[in-house]
Amino acid sequence: MNKDILKYLEKHGFEALRPKAVLFDMDGVLYDSMPNHAIAWQRSMEVFGIRMTLDDAYATEGARGVDTIRMMVKKQQGREIDEPEAQRMYDEKTRQFHALPETHIMPGILDLMAQIHADGLTIGVVTGSGQRPLINRLLKDFGAYLTEDHIVTAYDVKHGKPAPDPYLMGLQKCGDLKPWEAFVVENAPLGVRAGVAAQIFTIAVNTGPLPNKVLADAGTNHIYAKMPDLAEAWHELISDCR
Ligand code: MG
């Protein structure tokens, strides 16, 4: 890990990594929700004559839903649609998602958050989703560690992941922090690219079916295979920064 921190500091010309916050992505990080999202994407886009495979769903994970839809419509139907039309299609995706059984909290995440909280760091969430029920669930499940003012949703930023904007907004919401004062925890290539573009030390936890190489190519600073591995490594990781 030390070597990855040095590489990060050198790349950006920063003096030290002094994390005061951890910015978590939501789907595939806090919740084991990606299988349901992939199914909801596939079923809902079918309604509009758009073919979306499970691989497409994983590859576009983390982008704002409306951005993904506009891109797919352009690619498959050759037309530009406006945001309200994309939003109506996204509403169908949301409906399909909520028709599926509730997703589980990611194993290991509560243990990790408890340690982060005990170390005095702020916990933030930066997601491309924006449905109110999801925000309420976040506060119910992680309310011991998380407050609403530290959540960034699709509606807080104009440009979603892979643009740096969502994570830059996360830094701002968690106390006007500099990039070297936070970690990003992501599972998806577009999310990793967003964290890296915001110049934040970006940790990937590969909870899905994509090969590690995809996350490495996106520029991630360090990869874990699963959340309990990161929880176990947390103490050492934070010690390396001090
Ligand atoms: Mg994700």
Side-chain angles (χ1 to χ4, degrees):
M1 174 56 82
N2 244 324
K3 153 170 90 43
D4 291 334
I5 293 175
L6 289 176
K7 236 161 85 182
Y8 162 81
L9 295 175
E10 201 168 293
K11 175 179 169 192
H12 296 292
F14 296 153
E15 264 174 38
L17 180 58
R18 295 267 180 270
K20 293 179 181 163
V22 181
L23 304 176
F24 287 98
D25 170 47
M26 183 174 72
D27 290 303
V29 171
L30 303 185
Y31 297 105
D32 187 12
S33 45
M34 276 314 294
N36 280 10
H37 277 293
I39 292 167
W41 270 120
Q42 198 173 30
R43 288 181 184 168
S44 60
M45 290 305 105
E46 220 171 80
V47 173
F48 303 101
I50 299 288
R51 185 171 171 275
M52 183 128 175
T53 64
L54 296 181
D55 275 0
D56 288 333
Y58 279 99
T60 57
E61 193 213 327
R64 294 195 320 158
V66 289
D67 291 340
T68 298
I69 289 170
R70 294 174 80 175
M71 186 268 292
M72 295 300 282
V73 169
K74 178 136 200 269
K75 206 164 88 179
Q76 294 186 20
Q77 300 181 344
R79 48 190 198 102
E80 299 272 2
I81 59 169
D82 60 13
E83 186 132 344
E85 185 177 351
Q87 181 64 51
R88 280 193 295 279
M89 293 167 74
Y90 187 58
D91 290 345
E92 172 62 14
K93 189 259 165 179
T94 302
R95 197 187 65 76
Q96 295 266 3
F97 180 76
H98 287 294
L100 294 165
E102 192 169 72
T103 55
H104 299 291
I105 294 178
M106 188 64 74
I109 191 70
L110 287 171
D111 173 18
L112 174 61
M113 281 196 186
Q115 295 184 65
I116 293 170
H117 188 70
D119 283 338
L121 280 75
T122 301
I123 288 173
V125 174
V126 176
T127 175
S129 294
Q131 303 93 326
R132 187 67 225 180
L134 276 178
I135 310 302
N136 291 339
R137 193 178 170 206
L138 276 175
L139 294 172
K140 176 170 73 76
D141 291 339
F142 304 106
Y145 313 115
L146 176 70
T147 56
E148 184 162 359
D149 52 326
H150 296 149
I151 300 174
V152 177
T153 74
Y155 301 110
D156 286 315
V157 289
K158 190 162 178 285
H159 302 288
K161 303 172 188 178
D165 307 39
Y167 281 112
L168 293 174
M169 178 67 78
L171 290 176
Q172 200 182 318
K173 283 198 178 195
C174 288
D176 237 338
L177 302 179
K178 303 292 182 200
W180 64 86
E181 292 177 315
F183 288 128
V184 161
V185 181
E186 265 290 349
N187 70 305
L190 294 184
V192 165
R193 279 169 55 194
V196 169
Q199 301 193 315
I200 303 169
F201 191 93
T202 301
I203 298 165
V205 183
N206 194 2
T207 61
L210 299 173
N212 277 351
K213 181 171 186 307
V214 176
L215 297 166
D217 290 347
T220 193
N221 297 102
H222 200 78
I223 304 185
Y224 293 96
K226 53 188 196 301
M227 200 56 71
D229 294 352
L230 172 54
E232 199 177 306
W234 173 256
H235 182 70
E236 194 189 328
L237 172 58
I238 199 72
S239 304
D240 280 350
C241 299
R242 285 174 174 160

